[in-house]
Structure formats: C-alpha cells, structure tokens
Amino acid sequence: PIHPSWSISYTQRAAMAPSMELSYWDKWTIGWIAVNFYIHFGWECSLLYFFDYLEWKNGWSPFNLFVQAFNAYGRYDRRYRLTPSTSYGSSIDKVVLAVEVPAGIVDGTLCCLWLKAILDNAWYRYPTQLVVSALHAFGTLVFWGDEVFPAYMSWFKGKGWRWTATDGPKSIHWWWAFVGSNAVWVVVPLLYCRSAMNAMRPALEASVRS
C-alpha cells in the first residue's frame, strides 16, 4: 500500500519506477490474465467464425476444442446450441454473440495492457485492472440477465417463472454451468476492482485534498 504522506503521487512514482521483481500475488494475477487470454482470444473471438458450427455438413474435428466446448456447454445452456439454427444461420444466440465477441476484442486487448503494466510496473496498471475487471463483472451480469429477465417478465405477467435457455434451479447442471462457471467472472473481477481501488486510493485522496 502507498502511504499518503509521500511527497509525490503514486502515479508519478510508478512512472519513474523500473520493472520490479514479481510478487507472489503478481504471479497469481498473471495466471488469471492467462485464463483471460484463453477465454477472450480463444473462446469468444472464435465465435466470429464458429457461430454456425451445427450447420457444417461434415461436422467438426474432435480436435476443435472451442466447438467441442460450445456443443458440450450448449446441452445445459441452449443459447450455445440452437437447433434449428436462426434465420441468419447461427448456432449461437445473438445476445451471446453481442456480449462475448466485443468482450473478446475489448477485454482481451485490455488484458494485454494490464499484463504489460504489471511487467513494466507502469502507472496505468491499476486503472487498467479496474476497468477490465469491471467489464468482466458487467458482461457476466448481462449474460445472466438475458436468461433471468425473460423468466421474470413472464412471472410478472402472471404466466409463471419460465426458463428459456436453461432448465432452471431444479437441474444440477444449472448450478454448475449457468451459475457456478460464470460466477467466477463476477467474484474474481470484483476482488481485483477492490484491489485496484485500494492501491489508487491514497493518490486519489491526496489529489482531492490538494
């Protein structure tokens, strides 16, 4: 943590600081960023050209890990395995595409910047960490909301709570696939948001008082 009594701001010191030896938690963060690279540049960006995978006449290779993952996950979240395909030929729901493809491009790029900031001990490390982590959490809430809000609106109109793309809480798969695997992208990013705010707080408070 940065002591408020320092005579120059955190951002000024970070700008002058040379690359530092990575701490224990820095190494964990780099591991988390590596996971992000797989998700953003692999899973999400591959949707740009694998979105119609169920329409491929010859199927797909067993070595195509992304399509294998879409197909397997789609058994529990049908937005990833639309049968029949949409009128525009997609096997993936349009909301999933609208959330995940921009996330792959934007969040993936920000993760590159975050990694560079850690390795260079750059001043923009914590602002980048805050922004990309907030986007991770927000994107997951939108992803959940696409399934939850239609059910809510159905209930609000007196038609009962109807899940559309999943089987709801009655299924064990709903808990681990829809809730559990996606909750990681809320819980961990919010911890990084808090870490970034704590790191920037002394400099921000000092700028307010000056």
Side-chain angles (χ1 to χ4, degrees):
I2 300 155
H3 198 281
S5 65
W6 287 4
S7 58
I8 62 174
S9 71
Y10 156 73
T11 53
Q12 289 172 314
R13 283 187 174 271
M16 295 187 297
S19 298
M20 61 179 180
E21 183 178 349
L22 296 176
S23 70
Y24 173 82
W25 289 111
D26 287 337
K27 293 174 183 177
W28 273 106
T29 298
I30 290 174
W32 170 247
I33 292 174
V35 172
N36 278 266
F37 284 161
Y38 161 75
I39 292 296
H40 295 318
F41 295 129
W43 175 290
E44 292 175 334
C45 284
S46 74
L47 289 168
L48 282 169
Y49 42 91
F50 291 156
F51 65 88
D52 60 344
Y53 73 95
L54 288 177
E55 294 199 329
W56 297 351
K57 292 181 180 179
N58 298 320
W60 57 86
S61 167
F63 299 105
N64 190 328
L65 299 182
F66 297 122
V67 170
Q68 293 281 30
F70 301 152
N71 188 56
Y73 185 80
R75 298 180 187 279
Y76 313 116
D77 186 338
R78 291 178 287 276
R79 293 176 294 176
Y80 282 87
R81 196 171 184 269
L82 297 180
T83 51
S85 297
T86 66
S87 59
Y88 43 89
S90 179
S91 307
I92 306 289
D93 181 79
K94 63 181 182 297
V95 174
V96 171
L97 293 172
V99 171
E100 296 209 4
V101 173
I105 298 169
V106 176
D107 295 3
T109 302
L110 286 172
C111 282
C112 292
L113 195 63
W114 186 11
L115 176 60
K116 185 177 187 305
I118 292 172
L119 297 178
D120 293 345
N121 193 27
W123 66 267
Y124 53 85
R125 169 181 176 169
Y126 292 108
T128 305
Q129 176 179 316
L130 177 62
V131 171
V132 72
S133 297
L135 287 173
H136 283 149
F138 178 74
T140 305
L141 293 178
V142 173
F143 181 85
W144 277 337
D146 179 55
E147 174 69 355
V148 171
F149 279 103
Y152 162 77
M153 289 184 284
S154 175
W155 169 82
F156 191 83
K157 299 293 287 185
K159 299 177 182 179
W161 194 282
R162 299 179 181 178
W163 298 98
T164 52
T166 68
D167 294 328
K170 67 180 182 181
S171 170
I172 186 64
H173 302 298
W174 184 85
W175 291 102
W176 73 262
F178 181 70
V179 177
S181 65
N182 291 296
V184 174
W185 299 96
V186 175
V187 175
V188 175
L190 288 181
L191 291 174
Y192 276 113
C193 284
R194 184 180 68 174
S195 169
M197 291 297 291
N198 288 339
M200 294 188 294
R201 179 178 177 178
L204 293 171
E205 288 182 338
S207 68
V208 172
R209 289 194 295 266
S210 61

